[in-house]
Amino acid sequence: MDGPGGARISGKHHDRVLFMACNRATTTPPTISANGNSYPPDSWTNVPPSILSYLPRKLHLQPSHPVSITREVIESCFPPPTYTHYNDLDPIVSVYENFDSLNFPPDHPGRNRTDTYYLNKDTVLRTHSSAHEAEIFRHNKSAGYTISADVYRRDAIDRSHYPVFHQMEGARMWDRRKVEGGDVARVAREQLTQLEEHDLEVEDPNPTIHPERNPLQAEHHRVEEVEAIAAHLKRSLELMVNELFSRAKRRATGDAAADEPLKVRWVEAYFPFTSPSWELEVFWQGDWLEILGCGITKQDILINANVPNQLGWAFGVGLERLAMILFSIPDIRLFWSKDPRFLGQFSTADDIKPFVPFSKHPACYKDVSFWLRSSSSAAGGGLRSNSQDFHENDMMEIVRDVGGDLVEDVKMIDEFAHPVSGRKSICYRINYRSLERTLKNEEADRLHEGVRTRLVEKLGVELR
Ligand code: DAH
């Protein structure tokens, strides 16, 4: 996953194939029903029935599921009554909640139909748990909260990306009117001293506030307030990471690495809804892994939510990424498995042990090459008004729709432009492999034929 699922939100971008291809027929489905409501489709609608079928699954609430166990460990770090835990908010949200309420600019790439599932132009499947921030601030039930949520993004296919995953969000506010003398800085510092210590090795080389890279919201916050709230934020999240990883390490005793202190580092970041902002990375099996995004909540979000006197911190974290580390789960598809050989291996948060993979079944690689339509603007030709993006995510979705969880990954292995016409050709390699059984070559062939047919039908490509 892109960190907490955030690469696109933070403004960093992965390389994606984006070519212009010519107009393709779009089929608008009849009304879309989901979670008991109907949504009139329009030209923005792009959510397939296969994706809507995930809404009832709620892995984060399924007892003894590793995603749910990970949620419970995180919740235990943010106990009531300071923190209220919200776990069953509707994944269908307005574009306003998912983007506008959080200060996403109108041209932010996260809003693209290539990246986000739209029920219609005003309604999306939430792309992050932050979609509920403003509503919960407005509700103002307790000083802090956590949210756990299934979130939806159009994305690549590989062992760590799935169009549905889970995030957790947390926040903690202080009310200037409710603390003595309005001195939030002093109170946050005092509460920091009440948090436990830990023995993580923490690298935090940057100043809390940097005028260009990580600015203070100067019109709303005092430096001392932000210093104190940031210190409270960082310790709270370090304690959370410590809790999660020490559970995973405990089981690894005997392994020399288990005795070394866990290393984490704070990195400056950007989110439209916090400033200053950071990411927390953990050093795990030789790599720095981005675990979460966080920061000081933008004051205009709190003002709009009718709690202008509050200020504080918020964070968001991806649960699958954590669970894959904690339980040594090698492939994100496994979370969706109903196979008792998978589900039967997990019990409670007190008993985190590594998943023992059932046998690795053979892979079946199949290639598909195609020409994008010749009026592609890559050649500089064609009527722009008539042309349409070919986006890799459209191709990924077709592969998912046809192959479901029998596809392990899809990689682009070749791409070139015709020297004269400028027409683009791309070749993808699809790896068909079941996690549960040996896939027969004929079955993979049938799936692959289905993919090829749909690519032509839906994307108007010409197979080679
Ligand atoms: N929503 C962000 C994401 O999906 C994660 C995040 C970052 C949440 C910072 C926050 C936050 O609440 O303050 O990547």
Side-chain angles (χ1 to χ4, degrees):
M1 229 151 303
D2 306 330
R8 161 166 96 79
I9 286 171
S10 64
K12 293 181 282 184
H13 295 287
H14 287 285
D15 292 335
R16 286 214 164 96
V17 186
L18 182 71
F19 300 127
M20 302 297 278
C22 183
N23 214 1
R24 68 170 192 254
T26 41
T27 41
T28 317
T31 179
I32 300 181
S33 305
N35 279 1
N37 291 312
S38 10
Y39 301 86
D42 56 28
S43 62
W44 283 78
T45 307
N46 67 353
V47 55
S50 56
I51 291 293
L52 290 174
S53 73
Y54 288 97
L55 265 63
R57 292 288 298 273
K58 303 185 191 204
L59 300 184
H60 58 299
L61 301 179
Q62 190 180 307
S64 298
H65 192 281
V67 169
S68 179
I69 292 175
T70 308
R71 166 186 60 79
E72 285 169 6
V73 176
I74 295 175
E75 283 177 351
S76 74
C77 301
F78 301 101
T82 306
Y83 297 89
T84 306
H85 299 154
Y86 297 89
N87 290 321
D88 208 4
L89 301 167
D90 191 346
I92 301 173
V93 300
S94 64
V95 168
Y96 180 85
E97 291 168 301
N98 200 79
F99 296 119
D100 303 86
S101 77
L102 293 162
N103 273 351
F104 280 69
D107 60 349
H108 193 283
R111 293 182 186 253
N112 290 344
R113 285 174 77 239
T114 49
D115 291 33
T116 294
Y117 290 108
Y118 282 83
L119 282 86
N120 58 34
K121 77 174 187 345
D122 302 315
T123 320
V124 294
L125 295 179
R126 65 186 162 208
T127 64
H128 54 167
S129 45
S130 311
H132 302 286
E133 263 199 5
E135 155 199 0
I136 295 179
F137 287 138
R138 182 179 295 277
H139 191 48
N140 196 17
K141 192 165 148 36
S142 50
Y145 62 77
T146 65
I147 303 168
S148 66
D150 42 331
V151 302
Y152 297 78
R153 295 184 190 179
R154 302 183 81 218
D155 215 329
I157 301 181
D158 61 38
R159 271 178 291 167
S160 59
H161 288 82
Y162 205 82
V164 193
F165 60 101
H166 297 78
Q167 280 190 332
M168 233 164 133
E169 183 91 6
R172 170 77 160 93
M173 294 296 133
W174 287 267
D175 192 323
R176 288 198 181 108
R177 283 175 324 182
K178 293 198 182 144
V179 303
E180 207 189 308
D183 194 350
V184 165
R186 188 181 53 76
V187 175
R189 287 257 173 233
E190 237 166 61
Q191 286 169 348
L192 172 64
T193 62
Q194 287 156 22
L195 295 177
E196 285 167 52
E197 305 277 328
H198 57 66
D199 50 17
L200 297 181
E201 210 176 285
V202 181
E203 280 178 33
D204 190 4
N206 295 303
T208 307
I209 293 161
H210 185 282
E212 286 100 44
R213 298 192 313 255
N214 225 355
L216 175 77
Q217 300 172 54
E219 62 286 29
H220 300 294
H221 299 158
R222 293 190 298 124
V223 172
E224 310 81 74
E225 286 174 328
V226 168
E227 290 284 357
I229 292 172
H232 189 277
L233 162 68
K234 287 178 176 175
R235 176 80 66 76
S236 302
L237 295 178
E238 287 160 10
L239 285 167
M240 176 186 96
V241 165
N242 190 43
E243 184 63 37
L244 288 160
F245 281 76
S246 56
R247 284 175 197 243
K249 274 183 84 170
R250 235 175 274 152
R251 61 145 203 244
T253 32
D255 171 349
D259 302 325
E260 282 170 26
L262 187 66
K263 269 195 278 189
V264 300
R265 71 177 180 199
W266 289 101
V267 179
E268 291 174 330
Y270 172 79
F271 300 100
F273 33 95
T274 49
S275 191
S277 310
W278 302 276
E279 281 164 359
L280 181 57
E281 298 182 345
V282 175
F283 194 71
W284 186 253
Q285 293 174 349
D287 286 314
W288 285 105
L289 300 180
E290 181 195 323
I291 293 294
L292 58 82
C294 64
I296 307 295
T297 300
K298 286 267 180 83
Q299 203 59 31
D300 43 351
I301 296 174
L302 296 161
I303 294 169
N304 288 338
N306 219 13
V307 287
N309 299 300
Q310 299 190 11
L311 67 162
W313 55 251
F315 74 91
V317 55
L319 291 181
E320 274 82 353
R321 167 171 278 205
L322 279 174
M324 287 175 89
I325 298 169
L326 298 178
F327 296 92
S328 306
I329 294 172
D331 189 311
I332 197 166
R333 289 176 292 163
L334 281 161
F335 292 109
W336 300 93
S337 171
K338 294 176 182 167
D339 192 319
R341 288 174 300 172
F342 176 73
L343 293 174
Q345 293 196 29
F346 311 97
S347 55
T348 67
D350 296 324
D351 182 26
I352 292 188
K353 34 181 206 311
F355 166 67
V356 184
F358 11 110
S359 62
K360 180 129 180 160
H361 300 284
C364 209
Y365 293 97
K366 310 257 170 214
D367 295 351
V368 55
S369 311
F370 49 81
W371 292 106
L372 298 184
R373 287 239 186 135
S374 54
S375 61
S376 159
S377 71
L383 281 171
R384 268 203 174 259
S385 58
N386 231 353
S387 64
Q388 197 163 4
D389 291 350
F390 168 83
H391 194 290
E392 188 163 273
N393 285 349
D394 292 334
M395 132 103 195
M396 296 291 173
E397 188 157 282
I398 287 171
V399 177
R400 289 240 186 243
D401 234 26
V402 174
D405 288 353
L406 296 176
V407 178
E408 181 164 295
D409 58 51
V410 179
K411 291 195 184 92
M412 187 174 64
I413 54 168
D414 190 32
E415 144 195 40
F416 70 92
H418 189 280
V420 179
S421 68
R423 206 175 169 193
K424 286 255 186 205
S425 166
I426 319 182
C427 180
Y428 285 99
R429 176 159 296 167
I430 305 177
N431 172 10
Y432 297 91
R433 188 205 308 262
S434 166
L435 291 164
E436 288 151 6
R437 63 193 169 84
T438 296
L439 198 63
K440 292 213 182 66
N441 190 46
E442 302 85 78
E443 192 178 350
D445 272 339
R446 260 200 317 278
L447 294 172
H448 197 62
E449 212 28 62
V451 168
R452 288 166 58 87
T453 310
R454 289 263 222 114
L455 283 170
V456 174
E457 277 171 17
K458 294 245 175 186
L459 303 185
V461 303
E462 187 188 324
L463 299 173
R464 307 185 55 208

